[in-house]
Amino acid sequence: IDDQLVSTASFFNEIHPKLTYLPQPHYRLRGMATIESHRNQGLGAKLLTHALNELPEIGCRTLWFNARVAAKSFYDRFNASTEGGVFEIPTIGMHYLMWKRLDQ
């Protein structure tokens, strides 16, 4: 926005060992962030929507990610599924393992 990077996400071709039953290839949403001054404007949703449309074009069949507990409802809006319960990533906090099939 106005030549400033305000929202970003990174995706990596990576299989999660607990999700090997899901169609491959898998991609991992490794990180997603929006600068504070531009949060709550729908930019993260636009970014994720774009990724969900583009990832199948490069062969991705399952997207997975570790979602912060506070962000779970955001990913629920995209019909992501939860695998197991809450777990802690040391020094970062509590998370859910979540995934979404992109081949349906």
Side-chain angles (χ1 to χ4, degrees), residues 14-21 26 28 64 66 87 97:
E14 180 181 343
I15 297 171
H16 192 288
K18 291 184 179 178
L19 302 176
T20 56
Y21 65 92
H26 294 182
R28 176 183 184 183
W64 71 271
N66 294 321
F87 65 95
L97 171 58

Side-chain angles (χ1 to χ4, degrees), residues 6-23:
V6 296
S7 191
T8 187
S10 59
F11 300 86
F12 295 90
N13 185 325
E14 180 181 343
I15 297 171
H16 192 288
K18 291 184 179 178
L19 302 176
T20 56
Y21 65 92
L22 291 168

Side-chain angles (χ1 to χ4, degrees), residues 1-98:
I1 297 175
D2 296 328
D3 293 324
Q4 180 183 16
L5 178 63
V6 296
S7 191
T8 187
S10 59
F11 300 86
F12 295 90
N13 185 325
E14 180 181 343
I15 297 171
H16 192 288
K18 291 184 179 178
L19 302 176
T20 56
Y21 65 92
L22 291 168
Q24 297 178 25
H26 294 182
Y27 274 72
R28 176 183 184 183
L29 168 56
R30 178 65 180 86
M32 190 164 82
T34 301
I35 63 172
E36 191 170 349
S37 62
H38 286 75
R39 291 184 188 154
N40 300 311
Q41 297 177 22
L43 297 176
K46 287 180 183 179
L47 186 60
L48 187 56
T49 297
H50 179 74
L52 294 174
N53 289 325
E54 292 296 318
L55 286 167
E57 297 296 320
I58 60 170
C60 176
R61 296 181 66 200
T62 301
L63 176 66
W64 71 271
F65 45 93
N66 294 321
R68 293 177 188 267
V69 169
K72 184 180 181 300
S73 61
F74 171 80
Y75 296 109
D76 287 341
R77 294 193 326 245
F78 292 89
N79 298 313
S81 298
T82 303
E83 185 80 18
V86 177
F87 65 95
E88 184 173 5
I89 298 177
T91 72
I92 299 175
M94 304 305 287
H95 288 73
Y96 287 99
L97 171 58
M98 298 186 76

